[in-house]
Every structure is written in structure tokens, then in C-alpha cells.
Amino acid sequence: MSFRKMLYLLKHRLVTYKIVSIFNPIFHWFIGGDKRPLYFDIDKSYPALRLLEQNYDTIRAELDNLLPNQHQMPRYHDIDDDLLYASGRHNRDKHWNVFMLYCYGEKPEFNRKLCPKTCELLEQIPNLCQGFFSILDPGKSIPRHTSPSRYYLRYHLGLKVPQTNPPSLLLRDTKYTWKEREAVLFDDSWDHEIVNHASELRAVLIVDVLRPMPQPAHLLGRLIMILARWIYAVNTHRRVNKFSWNPD
């Protein structure tokens, strides 16, 4: 990578982080500050997400059809510069691939045609920010990192998880180990990492949704979702569209 390219990526990252993180003190006030929860009860906080678990078999079938083409998918840092270290430089011989289905209103046409039923389910989730498959190579760990903003929550549905030595999410000082058919909802603005020593790949469906908050903060979150489309999603969508293959 050229020095000029590195400067561009750094500048882009700092601008993006500054725009979305400038509102954190406001959210901090409404969501419990440094005492805000790490994990959330899905039934109490976002029951609409249960629809995805109820349709696990459908989602898993569409994922399985994609997996033979895993390494034709972008690595996370190919579409998001903020994850250059976590995706591209840590365990750099292994891949963290993503298959984007929805990103702040942007809808990759090629990807969605391969997963129409999963996309139909995602469209039923209110206040949806992002939806995508996240696929880790065997042994691909992800170092400690944080989200730049606190307006959303992150949902994982375990789709394909090794039974032997399954990977774990270390969220601050807690540990969560993925299980197939099981979902977890958490706040990834806390520092977190993934420890993965498994000999098989791990795949989950990731869904980001607007955090439930009182009305003033909710409206601000909606505004940031609109901003995120223009400062993040449009460029991400352009990059996603560079990755495709001839479906069978």
C-alpha cells in the first residue's frame, strides 16, 4: 500500500469516526453511561428479531449455497477501511469475509438475488441498520476493537459453528460462545474481540438495529442512520458491488 493511500484511509477513518462519535455524549446520557448493559434480552428489547431464529433453516440454506464461493466474497476491510487492522493485518493469512445484504438503505442487487428469503425476513425488522453474513476462516481471530457510536445494538444468529473448540466473543470482561440456532444481542460500543482456535469455519448472521431509547435520543439515532447512508453506506455499497461470481 502506498503512503498516499495510507494517508487517505487514515483521513477517511478519522472523519467517519468524528461524525458518528460526536453524538456519543448525548446517547451516553440516555442509555446508562458507563453502566449501560453489555447484553440485552431479545424478547424484552427487540422481539422482532426472533423472526430470524424462527426461520433459521431458511437462512442457513441460503448461507450454505454461498459458502462454496466464500473466498470470492470481500474481506471486511475490503469494504470498510475502519477494520483494516482487525480484518486484514491480524491473522493476515486467514480471512474474515462478509456478504452484505442491507446497509443503511443500500441494497446490493447481486447479493440479494442469491439470498431472497433472508432479505425478505430482514425487511420485516424495524429500524434496521445493517444485515450481512459474517464468515471466519478456521483459526481467524479478531483483535479487541469497538464501534465508534452507541446508537445501535448488534445481533448475532449462530448459523454454522464448530462443535469442537467453538469460537468465543469476549465482550469487555464476559465470554459468549456461539451456538447454532442461538442468538445474542449486545452493545458493541464496548471493547470486544473474537478468540477462534477452531479448525472449521464460523458463520453468523449479523443484524444491526437502532437501540431502543427515549424519544429525543431515538430521533437523533434516526438522523444518524440517514447520515450513515451518505458517509458510510454509499461507499461501502460501491465496493461490495465489485465482488460477484457466476452463480450456478
Side-chain angles (χ1 to χ4, degrees), residues 107-125:
K107 302 178 180 181
E109 183 177 353
F110 173 82
N111 292 12
R112 292 173 67 87
K113 283 182 177 179
L114 296 180
C115 302
K117 295 178 181 178
T118 301
C119 290
E120 287 178 7
L121 294 167
L122 290 173
E123 293 289 347
Q124 299 179 58
I125 306 300

Side-chain angles (χ1 to χ4, degrees), residues 139-243:
K140 174 68 171 180
S141 293
I142 300 173
R144 195 159 289 267
H145 61 290
T146 61
S147 162
S149 188
R150 298 172 185 165
Y151 67 91
Y152 71 87
L153 298 178
R154 175 154 287 191
Y155 166 97
H156 280 193
L157 173 59
L159 294 173
K160 188 174 179 62
V161 181
Q163 293 187 359
T164 301
N165 204 14
S168 294
L169 168 70
L170 303 183
L171 181 63
R172 210 178 184 200
D173 55 355
T174 68
K175 178 180 178 181
Y176 172 80
T177 301
W178 286 279
K179 298 178 182 177
E180 292 185 3
R181 298 182 179 271
E182 183 175 280
V184 61
L185 181 64
F186 63 98
D187 179 353
D188 78 339
S189 69
W190 290 112
D191 59 282
H192 58 284
E193 65 180 299
I194 293 175
V195 176
N196 179 17
H197 302 300
S199 58
E200 301 174 75
L201 69 80
R202 183 234 63 174
V204 302
L205 175 67
I206 293 182
V207 179
D208 294 338
V209 291
L210 180 63
R211 181 196 295 263
M213 294 179 287
Q215 195 57 252
H218 174 83
L219 291 175
L220 179 58
R222 294 286 300 173
L223 173 61
I224 295 178
M225 288 173 64
I226 295 173
L227 291 174
R229 182 170 188 172
W230 300 110
I231 66 174
Y232 173 74
V234 169
N235 187 52
T236 298
H237 183 256
R238 177 181 59 80
R239 294 183 179 187
V240 167
N241 284 336
K242 294 180 180 180
F243 294 84

Side-chain angles (χ1 to χ4, degrees), residues 58-59 61-67 69 73 99-101 108-119 133 243-248:
T58 296
I59 299 171
E62 292 192 333
L63 169 72
D64 285 342
N65 287 335
L66 296 174
L67 288 179
N69 297 291
M73 302 176 191
F99 194 77
M100 186 66 68
L101 299 173
E109 183 177 353
F110 173 82
N111 292 12
R112 292 173 67 87
K113 283 182 177 179
L114 296 180
C115 302
K117 295 178 181 178
T118 301
C119 290
F133 292 120
F243 294 84
S244 62
W245 58 85
N246 292 321
D248 295 332

